[in-house]
Amino acid sequence: MENVYFDNAATTKLDDEVLQAMLPYLKESYGNASSIYKLGRENRKAVETAREQISTVLNCNPNEIYFTAGGSESDNTIIKGTAHGYKSKGNHIITSKIEHPAVLETCKQLEKEGFEVSYIGVSEDGIVKLDELENAIKDSTILITIMFANNEIGTIQPIKEIGEIAKKHNIFFHTDAVQAVGTVRIDVKELNIDALSMSGHKFYGPKGIGALYVRNGINFDRLVAGGHQERGKRAGTENVPAIVGMGKAIELAYANLDEHNKKIKELRDYYVKQISEKIPYIKINGDMEKRLPGNSNISFRYIEGEGLLLNLDLKGIAASSGSACTSGSLDPSHVLLAIGLPHEIAHGSLRISIGKYNTKEEVDYLVENLVEIVNRLREMSPLWEEFIEEEKK
């Protein structure tokens, strides 16, 4: 097999229906959505239709949706925007140790500006500790930002409970839902969510487009200055084709959500069962119930995750490592360390994220090659030799 793709948490294949919806706005209807003539009005209407498609899914008002360039910009906009917008009320922010770098790095920047940030721990299953979160609240706390679902281990956080805690203490609550939107049903009112970040390419839409939900009445400073697009909160000419694509993608995702989730979860569970039976000395990371349907993160002892990735790639299989070494760092994943994994085990982790286009035949191909690769890498590992010698004693 060639080009067997199991990295859907990183990005997804563009849906053909999404592409068809985008094409007219890439060619014939190319007007600027801020222009008042017909070609511009057509594009403005398309933008507002997409805004309605997203707001319908989240159960919010269309004017609470702001388009951005992606999840990272959405996170930066709302975290920095509320921190600066409410600085007169306090300077304390609460987040978790397993957030995406778009949140963690933003918080680190704010710390340099004088803001105080509390980083809440998680259980060994990757679930945020609610008691620790509530105990961290101070009179100066202005923002709680906790991700909806983790991008590495797939754990779904107790968002409703966190929203209730925030509401009880009159604190603004933001969730990075980049991994959850398109997979989990989300009602922002029911869950007491004040702001939510999302990204189109995580649910078979185009790259380079995201959205930010912010409840009406919340004040936040804009990140991108310039024109008056997005009600003065995000300057720049609207990327109409991508916005149209994101609207269509989210509509399709929720029209077929249960069907796709059932198939994806069955493939994920089949994969985990096969690996558990055929490869010894592994550890499944993260809660298996409170988890995204397509996510699995498994640590293979006595090998490096980077070696797994490179060998899988030679077989035409795309996956992701739980180690950050593939991005130039020698440090293992901060998420795996946060759930208590020692460095040597965290380094040997593999994330497989299954999507709607994957098949059982592809999973079988993955398992077959993974068994062979793990056995071969272990035979080459000094750590494996030491382990075998210890077992013989």
Side-chain angles (χ1 to χ4, degrees):
M1 286 188 178
E2 293 183 3
N3 299 322
V4 182
Y5 188 75
F6 284 111
D7 202 16
N8 289 279
T11 195
T12 54
K13 178 182 177 182
L14 188 69
D15 190 293
D16 286 340
E17 288 189 58
V18 172
L19 176 60
Q20 291 306 312
M22 294 172 64
L23 284 177
Y25 299 94
L26 288 164
K27 298 179 71 177
E28 293 85 7
S29 188
Y30 49 82
N32 188 318
S34 296
S35 300
I36 62 173
Y37 44 75
K38 183 181 178 183
L39 205 57
R41 294 197 307 271
E42 289 175 352
N43 278 258
R44 170 55 54 195
K45 183 178 179 181
V47 169
E48 296 312 317
T49 296
R51 209 185 303 276
E52 290 176 6
Q53 288 169 316
I54 295 170
S55 65
T56 297
V57 164
L58 297 180
N59 188 28
C60 66
N61 296 322
N63 67 0
E64 295 176 311
I65 299 296
Y66 302 85
F67 289 109
T68 68
S72 292
E73 185 189 327
S74 293
D75 287 338
N76 273 259
T77 296
I78 198 61
I79 294 172
K80 292 177 181 176
T82 52
H84 295 146
Y86 290 91
K87 192 172 184 180
S88 62
K89 294 186 177 181
N91 71 335
H92 181 231
I93 298 167
I94 298 174
T95 190
S96 83
K97 294 179 179 179
I98 63 168
E99 298 296 311
H100 188 276
V103 171
L104 293 177
E105 292 300 317
T106 300
C107 287
K108 288 178 183 177
Q109 284 186 355
L110 289 172
E111 284 183 293
K112 293 177 181 178
E113 296 180 26
F115 287 89
E116 181 186 359
V117 182
S118 294
Y119 298 89
I120 303 303
V122 296
S123 69
E124 62 181 13
D125 290 327
I127 306 297
V128 168
K129 297 176 179 177
L130 293 178
D131 56 344
E132 186 177 333
L133 186 151
E134 189 155 20
N135 289 335
I137 293 174
K138 306 177 179 182
D139 292 339
S140 58
T141 305
I142 54 174
L143 171 66
I144 295 173
T145 175
I146 302 290
M147 65 190 345
F148 203 112
N150 186 263
N151 52 301
E152 292 191 34
I153 59 176
T155 48
I156 297 174
Q157 301 303 326
I159 294 299
K160 186 173 184 178
E161 290 85 346
I162 296 171
E164 289 171 350
I165 291 171
K167 187 176 182 180
K168 181 174 70 174
H169 294 275
N170 196 30
I171 298 169
F172 180 68
F173 173 43
H174 161 254
T175 184
D176 175 343
V178 167
Q179 292 291 330
V181 172
T183 300
V184 181
R185 295 194 187 279
I186 301 174
D187 184 324
V188 293
K189 294 178 182 176
E190 180 184 345
L191 299 176
N192 295 305
I193 296 170
D194 295 308
L196 178 148
S197 302
M198 68 184 84
S199 186
H201 73 108
K202 302 296 186 178
F203 44 89
Y204 312 97
K207 298 177 182 65
I209 185 67
L212 175 64
Y213 153 75
V214 184
R215 179 171 59 80
N216 282 334
I218 299 291
N219 177 46
F220 64 100
D221 290 353
R222 63 180 179 176
L223 184 67
V224 181
H228 297 285
Q229 292 89 350
E230 295 304 294
R231 300 181 299 288
K233 291 298 188 182
R234 201 271 185 177
T237 302
E238 294 94 341
N239 185 353
V240 179
I243 289 172
V244 169
M246 185 176 184
K248 184 64 175 178
I250 202 167
E251 185 177 72
L252 290 172
Y254 283 91
N256 303 288
L257 188 74
D258 295 336
E259 175 189 348
H260 287 157
N261 280 353
K262 182 176 183 294
K263 173 203 168 185
I264 290 168
K265 185 176 183 300
E266 286 175 353
L267 286 179
R268 191 274 312 275
D269 291 346
Y270 173 72
Y271 160 73
V272 172
K273 184 174 185 293
Q274 292 293 305
I275 292 300
S276 298
E277 291 175 352
K278 295 182 178 181
I279 302 179
Y281 310 111
I282 66 169
K283 183 184 184 307
I284 300 170
N285 300 314
D287 192 291
M288 282 303 294
E289 296 301 321
K290 301 170 185 175
R291 191 188 198 102
L292 295 172
N295 175 281
S296 72
N297 187 302
I298 299 177
S299 293
F300 298 84
R301 298 192 67 178
Y302 312 110
I303 56 174
E304 289 281 348
E306 188 174 21
L308 274 178
L309 284 188
L310 294 174
N311 280 273
L312 286 171
D313 185 48
L314 291 173
K315 297 292 184 178
I317 300 169
S320 176
S321 175
S323 169
C325 57
T326 51
S327 61
S329 169
L330 295 176
D331 296 327
S333 155
H334 70 284
V335 175
L336 298 181
L337 294 180
I339 64 174
L341 262 64
H343 281 236
E344 63 273 16
I345 295 179
H347 267 304
S349 298
L350 181 73
R351 181 187 71 183
I352 295 294
S353 46
I354 295 170
K356 70 178 183 179
Y357 295 116
N358 288 121
T359 65
K360 183 175 180 293
E361 289 72 26
E362 289 177 332
V363 174
D364 285 333
Y365 181 73
L366 168 65
V367 171
E368 175 189 347
N369 282 280
L370 196 53
V371 170
E372 186 272 326
I373 291 168
V374 169
N375 288 337
R376 177 158 44 84
L377 290 178
R378 280 178 173 170
E379 288 174 0
M380 298 166 58
S381 169
L383 292 175
W384 179 252
E385 291 181 8
E386 292 175 13
F387 170 72
I388 294 300
E389 289 299 319
E390 286 294 321
E391 287 289 289
K392 289 179 181 178
K393 292 180 181 178

